[in-house]
Amino acid sequence: MTRIQEKFNQLKSKNEAALISYIMVGYPSEKATLAAVRGLIKGGTDIIELGFPFSDPIADGPTIQMASTESLNKGTKIDDFFSIVKKIRKEADIPLVLMTYTNILYNQTYQKFISRAKEVGIDGLILPDMAIEESKDYVKAAKKSGMDTIFLVSPNTQNDRLKKIIKATSGFLYMVAVFGTTGVQTKIHKYTIDALKNTKRSANGKIPVGVGFGISTDKDVHKYVSSGADAVIVGSANIKIMENTPVNKIESKIFTFTKKLKNKTR
Amino acid sequence: MKIGIPKDGRFGEFGGKYIPETLAPAIEELEKSYLKIRNDKNFKKELGRLLIEYAGRPTPMYFAKNLTKTVGGAKIYLKREDLLHGGAHKINNTLGQALLAKRMGKKRIIAETGAGQHGVATAMACASLGLKAEIYMGYVDTIRQKQNVFRMELLGAKVHAVKSGSKTLKDAINEAMRDWITNVDSTYYLLGSAVGPHPYPLMVRDFQAVIGNEIKKQMKKIPNAVIACVGGGSNAIGTFYPLIDTKTRIIGIEAGGKGVKTKLHSAPLSAGKKGVLHGMMTYLMQDKDGQISETHSISAGLDYPGVGPEHAYLKDENRVEYKAVTDDEVIDAFLILTRTEGIIPALESAHAIAHAIKISKKMKKTESIVVTLSGRGDKDIDIVKEYLSKQ
Ligand SMILES: Cc1ncc(COP(=O)(O)O)c(C=O)c1O
């Protein structure tokens, strides 16, 4: 069983949903990344999603685009990413998920990249541009390394597709809350809640369903958890905090914010 | 070797549809609608009429006598896509797709543009068919192709200057895709080259194949060689596709910039590596980590780090030769054609001319080369002026 699967089992027995927190590695610096990770862990987040920047992040809105560009401009390389993951792994046993784009893996071959990621302590992968139709080799390589493949579904995903995607997914299923890119939203749509219920029905208890994109307040967390989400994913809101906070304050600010969100998952 | 409808959207191992899940239903709907109209008599008739009466097809085949004499080798013929409405081959594709969008009941059209030629051709097609157009253009390109921004605005389109990433064509595509993800129900994405997720490379190739089909009809004998410039690859695949099954030598010319050994070029087939970008698997310019490289070309229309998947396939099958020419060679060719024939070519098209000049010298006088002159060069005269003033 992977760390992610274990975590969801533990939470289930406590009747809790998971809080999954996203940050961009190397934004605004390696030091800030490590400080944020400490804040997230102390604040009680259940799973950390580490973004590795890609030059052309088509599924991301302005906030994460900015963080990607900044991180790349600072010179963040894939070797730096792996070495940061190693550092985090020395301090904590929390499940770690890598979110990046297909080309970063394809470039080294799926097999090589995934076995290296697994070795340093990554438990699952999210690739927003990996469509189910193209995923055969990727899923095969991940299975071989015991890496979870976290696929995305959208509110407009039809049930027959949903079934195929669920079959290829392990760890948890990532439901995109909105028609749009990542970023802070101001309202929760009825179509999202309907889609969440439908997705849960299709998942049928076999795989946890997380909701992400645009979630930024404890109210949002409460609403999704009370509508049946097994996990909520918060990203741009963390980046926004880091954007406006000096490095020596990042840990405490992220801690306070995370604690507030985590409270609403119980 | 010739692939009609690519199975699973793949030309050999290239292509596919690497897209965010939100776009999957839209791509599926597009594929279904396109395959339905692909053989629809009424659709063909309506598009055929627009191509003749609105765009100005068929375009002439011109024997460039003076150029041939100056170079002193094989006969050079020019397929005059520069004479089309708007000044480039782009209208062949925008009319086809805009008509399809209309059939699909979409009223809002978005598009990306590099040099502005596809943006202008989209704005024209939309104006004539009563559709609303919004065009994404890299901020850098809005500066170097200022005139086309105003042309698009005059034609009633809204132009968004894209300030993310490298602020050029690839970022304009990123932003158009983000728009599509956000407005997926109401919006049709009218892609301008033979790139992107399936079915775009197929669709754009089909709409541009009118170029190659006319070449076949207009040349008494199949030419010994055909040459076209390759950005995303739409004018080239339109030229090549109908000739794949013949014995003609087929050559695609990429933008060599300051030289393919430098980093300052846009030649993924000559110096790139396989990868995934903008929904397709193809040759890309990228660094060791898989980050997409910034590209350089004197012509904004070729300034793109990727290339259509069918070209990647034809390269690996060794059916088409892909070569690159440098900015300097392009300027020389631009001047030679302008002065010998009185035809000012687009800098993109001047790439193909440059290579024709190179190879025609080594060919027999009885042999023939057809060069697709994809566009006219009015849009480029400021760039050429600046280039010459620095010499
Ligand atoms: C005149 C002309 N030729 C060629 C191109 C390159 O596009 P493609 O390779 O799709 O034909 C452009 C693109 O803007 C263009 O304007």
Side-chain angles (χ1 to χ4, degrees):
Chain A
M1 203 181 298
T2 65
R3 284 192 189 90
I4 298 171
Q5 292 159 17
E6 248 168 63
K7 174 64 81 176
F8 275 105
N9 286 347
Q10 283 166 17
L11 289 169
K12 201 170 173 188
S13 65
K14 290 194 281 184
N15 207 15
E16 257 178 53
L19 174 66
I20 302 178
S21 304
Y22 171 97
I23 53 171
M24 170 63 72
V25 164
Y27 174 78
S29 64
E30 178 177 330
K31 215 168 137 195
T33 302
L34 292 171
V37 166
R38 277 182 217 116
L40 291 171
I41 293 175
K42 283 190 192 152
T45 201
D46 297 296
I47 296 174
I48 296 176
E49 198 182 311
L50 298 168
F52 179 71
F54 178 51
S55 51
D56 297 84
I58 55 166
D60 287 303
T63 304
I64 294 180
Q65 277 176 52
M66 177 279 296
S68 303
T69 307
E70 290 268 307
S71 176
L72 285 173
N73 287 346
K74 290 253 157 76
T76 306
K77 299 274 185 269
I78 197 68
D79 289 345
D80 303 321
F81 175 83
F82 286 137
S83 93
I84 290 174
V85 174
K86 272 192 202 156
K87 280 183 197 158
I88 296 171
R89 265 285 161 257
K90 269 193 205 139
E91 293 179 27
D93 199 44
I94 191 163
L96 296 175
V97 170
L98 162 60
M99 176 154 172
T100 189
Y101 286 79
T102 301
N103 197 50
I104 299 296
L105 274 71
Y106 187 88
N107 186 264
Q108 303 192 11
T109 74
Y110 296 132
Q111 189 65 65
K112 259 199 208 148
F113 186 100
I114 291 172
S115 63
R116 193 162 164 218
K118 184 75 191 179
E119 212 178 278
V120 296
I122 293 288
D123 303 297
L125 296 169
I126 302 175
L127 304 174
D129 61 341
M130 174 56 82
I132 189 74
E133 290 88 351
E134 313 300 340
S135 67
K136 210 170 124 207
D137 294 345
Y138 159 68
V139 170
K140 204 168 129 196
K143 275 227 170 82
K144 213 167 137 189
S145 294
M147 179 75 85
D148 280 329
T149 49
I150 297 150
F151 278 86
L152 292 94
V153 295
S154 168
N156 59 359
T157 306
Q158 298 295 310
N159 280 337
D160 51 337
R161 264 187 90 77
L162 204 49
K163 263 196 206 130
K164 278 190 228 161
I165 295 173
I166 287 170
K167 221 172 138 204
T169 301
S170 57
F172 67 94
L173 186 65
Y174 191 140
M175 195 191 101
V176 171
V178 291
F179 293 113
T181 51
T182 56
V184 175
Q185 292 275 326
T186 45
K187 75 183 248 214
I188 293 177
H189 302 272
K190 183 175 175 296
Y191 72 73
T192 310
I193 301 298
D194 293 345
L196 173 60
K197 290 186 174 147
N198 183 55
T199 307
K200 283 278 293 183
R201 216 173 297 127
S202 291
N204 197 18
K206 282 192 222 106
I207 187 111
V209 177
V211 183
F213 281 35
I215 301 175
S216 62
T217 66
D218 54 341
K219 269 200 201 117
D220 297 344
V221 173
H222 175 73
K223 173 83 182 165
Y224 286 120
V225 170
S226 62
S227 305
D230 301 304
V232 285
I233 302 139
V234 175
S236 295
N238 289 325
I239 306 279
K240 277 231 148 91
I241 291 174
M242 293 173 75
E243 185 181 1
N244 301 313
T245 309
V247 178
N248 61 356
K249 298 261 166 58
I250 282 180
E251 183 177 330
S252 68
K253 278 249 176 150
I254 290 282
F255 162 76
T256 311
F257 179 62
T258 304
K259 193 165 171 218
K260 198 165 100 191
L261 299 181
K262 180 57 202 172
N263 270 336
K264 299 290 177 185
T265 65
R266 295 188 175 111
Chain B
M1 185 173 317
K2 192 166 168 173
I3 294 176
I5 295 171
K7 190 171 171 290
D8 300 328
R10 295 266 177 179
F11 297 92
E13 66 177 306
F14 301 100
K17 33 184 164 182
Y18 295 83
I19 45 164
E21 183 55 29
T22 306
L23 292 181
I27 289 277
E28 205 171 300
E29 182 196 0
L30 178 62
E31 187 179 352
K32 273 201 193 124
S33 310
Y34 177 62
L35 292 179
K36 211 164 96 195
I37 60 99
R38 195 171 185 257
N39 295 311
D40 181 306
K41 269 202 198 108
N42 287 330
F43 182 87
K44 280 190 177 169
K45 209 165 116 192
E46 196 174 350
L47 178 58
R49 187 185 59 81
L50 281 170
L51 287 174
I52 293 168
E53 295 171 7
Y54 184 75
R57 298 214 74 90
T59 59
M61 177 68 75
Y62 173 67
F63 172 47
K65 197 169 65 201
N66 302 334
L67 178 65
T68 299
K69 207 166 140 202
T70 306
V71 177
K75 292 192 192 73
I76 300 173
Y77 291 84
L78 304 177
K79 178 60 178 162
R80 299 290 308 272
E81 296 298 294
D82 61 316
L83 294 176
L84 284 171
H85 180 42
H89 67 292
K90 300 285 179 188
I91 192 84
N92 300 329
N93 171 46
T94 58
L95 284 174
Q97 285 199 56
L99 211 51
L100 171 61
K102 211 170 164 174
R103 289 264 179 123
M104 290 171 70
K106 308 273 178 181
K107 296 204 169 61
R108 178 176 180 263
I109 307 290
I110 55 170
E112 82 296 341
T113 196
Q117 291 303 100
H118 174 59
V120 167
T122 301
M124 291 184 319
C126 287
S128 91
L129 294 173
L131 300 161
K132 205 175 129 226
E134 291 186 36
I135 314 289
Y136 289 91
M137 187 170 187
Y139 176 71
V140 171
D141 293 331
T142 61
I143 305 287
R144 61 178 168 178
Q145 303 279 348
K146 229 181 345 226
Q147 218 192 57
N148 271 342
V149 176
F150 189 52
R151 275 171 95 195
M152 287 183 264
E153 286 169 350
L154 280 176
L155 288 159
K158 190 166 170 198
V159 180
H160 301 278
V162 176
K163 293 192 173 165
S164 58
S166 61
K167 306 180 181 65
T168 58
L169 177 58
K170 82 176 172 68
D171 309 284
I173 297 181
N174 293 342
E175 212 48 43
M177 284 191 149
R178 290 182 190 119
D179 180 317
W180 199 21
I181 291 169
T182 309
N183 303 294
V184 62
D185 254 355
S186 65
T187 299
Y188 182 96
Y189 180 19
L190 205 165
L191 240 170
S193 192
V195 298
H198 176 69
Y200 284 104
L202 164 69
M203 209 157 61
V204 177
R205 177 255 271 164
D206 286 350
F207 289 135
Q208 292 292 358
V210 65
I211 303 173
N213 284 325
E214 285 179 14
I215 292 176
K216 266 174 126 172
K217 270 191 221 139
Q218 289 168 324
M219 295 297 288
K220 280 188 210 90
K221 237 176 62 194
I222 293 288
N224 298 84
V226 293
I227 307 179
C229 67
V230 181
S234 69
N235 89 87
I237 202 69
T239 302
F240 301 165
Y241 183 73
L243 293 159
I244 289 175
D245 283 341
T246 68
K247 288 220 154 54
T248 305
R249 187 173 164 201
I250 305 180
I251 310 168
I253 305 301
E254 295 190 294
K258 311 268 185 212
V260 290
K261 298 238 157 64
T262 71
K263 284 190 173 157
L264 298 171
H265 62 83
S266 309
L269 289 166
S270 307
K273 196 181 146 191
K274 287 175 201 169
V276 175
L277 178 71
H278 293 150
M280 61 180 165
M281 212 278 273
T282 187
Y283 283 99
L284 299 173
M285 289 180 54
Q286 51 187 315
D287 72 8
K288 222 171 82 256
D289 271 3
Q291 305 293 354
I292 305 306
S293 312
E294 303 220 342
T295 51
H296 164 83
S297 169
I298 192 165
S299 67
L302 303 183
D303 209 345
Y304 180 65
V307 65
E310 196 165 3
H311 287 290
Y313 164 74
L314 291 170
K315 173 192 155 78
D316 278 14
E317 290 286 310
N318 290 315
R319 176 59 188 99
V320 178
E321 300 164 49
Y322 292 93
K323 298 270 175 359
V325 300
T326 64
D327 289 350
D328 291 345
E329 293 171 311
V330 168
I331 292 287
D332 285 346
F334 176 95
L335 295 174
I336 292 171
L337 186 69
T338 301
R339 290 185 187 157
T340 58
E341 297 291 351
I343 295 171
I344 302 177
L347 283 172
E348 291 81 8
S349 323
H351 283 71
I353 300 289
H355 195 74
I357 292 173
K358 264 191 211 172
I359 67 162
S360 101
K361 288 179 196 153
K362 295 179 213 150
M363 290 167 67
K364 290 191 212 109
K365 290 200 165 152
T366 51
E367 293 183 309
S368 60
I369 304 173
V370 171
V371 181
T372 295
L373 200 69
S374 55
R376 65 169 188 236
D378 307 45
K379 68 182 175 61
D380 294 321
I381 51 177
D382 290 339
I383 297 168
V384 174
K385 190 172 168 193
E386 198 190 315
Y387 185 95
L388 294 176
S389 74
K390 281 186 189 154
Q391 285 195 321

